[in-house]
Amino acid sequence: WWTANDLDTLQIDLYRKALRDGVAYLLVTWDEKANRPAFYVHAQDDGLEGVTTHLDPETHLPQYYAKYWTTYDPLKPGATGKERKTVYLPGEVRKYQRAPGNVYGWEPAQDPGDTSWPLPWLGTDGRPIGFAVWSFRVPGGSELSPSVLALQDSLNTSMLDLLAAAAAGGFPIMSVEYGENVQAPVVSAPDNEENEEAGIELAPGRLLEVYGGRLNRLPPSDTQPMIATVWTMVSALSAVTGVPSHRLRPFAGAEVPSGEALKQLEAGLVAKATERTQAFTAPWAGVMNTAYRLAQRYGMSDLPAVATPRIKPVWADVNTRSELLQAQVGTAHKGLGVPDEMIWQKVLGYTPDEVSAFRVSKRRDQAMQVAAIAASLRQSPQATPVQTPVQPANPGAFTEVKP
């Protein structure tokens, strides 16, 4: 399911929408043609389209989810521009279309293939499958808080000022001084066609010849204070967002952090990433549980029967890692007798699939070694035992008898 739906790519879109808006939604449905669950990312409702959550006023738990959108089909006349709404409850799906004359503004709608209204959303046991939509909420809301946006606006303004000052330095403003009795020529005015030839036009590479006057160049502005202002804004953004400043402002040379220093600098970012994985664990488990119930409902023959599936996502390690340091830690654990599989997963950060592949490879290598030893033993020649004559302790005590 994960690979078939390209969820590696889909989850990036899901997380970015959640960080931008504070929440994003993943819709689970059934793809009859592919005979598998299908997953779709939706953003928060912006007044035109998207998904919104309706909470119970007492428990603050979701009562239902509503998806809003506008139809679009350029090949079918009259099919474009209709406002639609779909309501997802734990045991049914209700579809609506905009009806201005209706007291509620909406009326029931059915799409081709719908057998009833509302559509049942039940498992093989007759119980509700659960919500088809799951929300991925960021603790604390959107990353684009008012303080972050204000700092970003100030940073954009500072960058524009810096670019303007740099442009003025590269293409300086010229001035011409004339004496008291010298008549100044007309300054270039593109909108005045009559004076266009008599004006002074300044441009890079142009030779300017002035009679009776003195040409001056206005000195460019010092851009260093402006550059310092830009980096001050970057430092402020780092403090507000929790993103280390070295990720916003590149270091150079010996200033590049590494090892333990890098780990300390990114401790806040690691804590934030860990918080996100904890917040998104339950929604992912719910999404996959719904997908499992759908697969049961529509009869996938190769699906194992599990009464109460316990599903938990496996997250990539968010900690800042030094490969050399982790290798040394793994070697120390090996010396203490920790099993290889535990070291691979817990210390070196390999995924369960990678650990399983290592395990298979290790067994294969051991089998090949055993087979090589057995083949070597079968090919070695059989040794012939050598009989050594036994000498009597006192040869004189024996008499040779001849026939």
Side-chain angles (χ1 to χ4, degrees):
W1 300 348
W2 189 277
T3 303
N5 286 276
D6 193 20
L7 285 177
D8 279 332
T9 303
L10 204 67
Q11 66 175 338
I12 297 175
D13 185 32
L14 175 68
Y15 301 150
R16 290 186 176 178
K17 281 183 169 62
L19 293 174
R20 182 194 65 192
D21 302 332
V23 62
Y25 300 89
L26 193 61
L27 170 65
V28 189
T29 185
W30 184 258
D31 188 337
E32 294 184 0
K33 293 182 179 179
N35 193 36
R36 57 168 170 77
F39 307 87
Y40 301 95
V41 175
H42 291 280
Q44 171 79 345
D45 178 31
D46 59 3
L48 296 176
E49 62 180 12
V51 176
T52 186
T53 309
H54 293 264
L55 302 177
D56 186 288
E58 294 184 0
T59 63
H60 296 284
L61 295 176
Q63 282 186 321
Y64 62 90
Y65 295 89
K67 182 183 71 172
Y68 299 87
W69 83 101
T70 302
T71 59
Y72 177 74
D73 187 355
L75 301 179
K76 186 176 180 181
T80 299
K82 295 182 179 180
E83 295 183 59
R84 296 290 303 271
K85 177 176 73 169
T86 302
V87 175
Y88 299 94
L89 289 94
E92 63 184 42
V93 177
R94 303 178 182 179
K95 298 181 180 181
Y96 299 90
Q97 63 184 1
R98 177 68 73 179
N102 191 293
V103 64
Y104 298 106
W106 298 92
E107 63 182 9
Q110 288 182 271
D111 293 321
D114 291 350
T115 57
S116 62
W117 193 99
L119 292 173
W121 188 252
L122 305 174
T124 54
D125 54 3
R127 296 185 304 169
I129 291 177
F131 288 116
V133 177
W134 289 85
S135 60
F136 288 73
R137 294 188 177 275
V138 177
S142 171
E143 290 289 332
L144 302 179
S145 62
S147 57
V148 172
L149 294 177
L151 285 172
Q152 185 64 58
D153 288 341
S154 299
L155 178 60
N156 294 342
T157 301
S158 299
M159 289 296 297
L160 290 174
D161 293 341
L162 178 60
L163 291 173
F171 305 100
I173 300 175
M174 310 297 292
S175 65
V176 181
E177 289 186 35
Y178 295 98
E180 296 180 358
N181 299 324
V182 179
Q183 183 178 2
V186 178
V187 179
S188 175
D191 296 336
N192 190 343
E193 298 180 357
E194 296 179 359
N195 298 327
E196 187 173 357
E197 296 181 358
I200 300 177
E201 296 183 3
L202 301 178
R206 181 179 293 276
L207 178 63
L208 183 64
E209 186 176 3
V210 180
Y211 296 94
R214 184 171 60 185
L215 183 65
N216 298 318
R217 172 178 175 176
L218 299 182
S221 302
D222 184 8
T223 58
Q224 288 303 316
M226 299 182 184
I227 295 175
T229 301
V230 168
W231 292 131
T232 300
M233 293 295 178
V234 170
S235 299
L237 275 173
S238 174
V240 172
T241 60
V243 178
S245 58
H246 69 271
R247 288 183 174 267
L248 302 176
R249 176 183 179 179
F251 287 99
E255 294 182 350
V256 179
S258 61
E260 191 63 26
L262 178 61
K263 188 174 182 179
Q264 293 179 359
L265 284 174
E266 296 196 340
L269 186 61
V270 168
K272 180 178 288 190
T274 303
E275 182 186 75
R276 301 291 185 271
T277 60
Q278 293 173 348
F280 294 160
T281 292
W284 270 121
V287 164
M288 290 303 166
N289 187 66
T290 300
Y292 177 80
R293 296 289 306 278
L294 280 175
Q296 278 187 323
R297 171 67 177 81
Y298 292 98
M300 293 185 67
S301 58
D302 58 344
L303 188 69
V306 181
T308 306
R310 300 179 61 184
I311 303 173
K312 184 178 181 180
V314 178
W315 297 96
D317 190 4
V318 300
N319 290 285
T320 303
R321 288 182 173 271
S322 169
E323 293 183 359
L324 177 59
L325 178 61
Q326 292 306 120
Q328 293 173 347
V329 173
T331 302
H333 281 72
K334 179 72 173 179
L336 295 174
V338 179
D340 289 342
E341 295 179 10
M342 185 67 69
I343 296 175
W344 293 339
Q345 187 168 351
K346 300 297 183 181
V347 179
L348 301 181
Y350 290 104
T351 64
D353 290 341
E354 292 172 331
V355 171
S356 178
F358 294 159
R359 189 187 307 116
V360 172
S361 177
K362 186 177 181 180
R363 285 200 299 263
R364 184 171 57 249
D365 293 343
Q366 291 174 346
M368 292 178 63
Q369 292 178 1
V370 172
I373 294 174
S376 177
L377 292 176
R378 287 195 299 268
Q379 293 175 2
S380 61
Q382 295 293 334
T384 303
V386 179
Q387 297 182 355
T388 303
V390 179
Q391 298 293 333
N394 186 7
F398 294 89
T399 303
E400 183 177 0
V401 180
K402 295 182 178 181

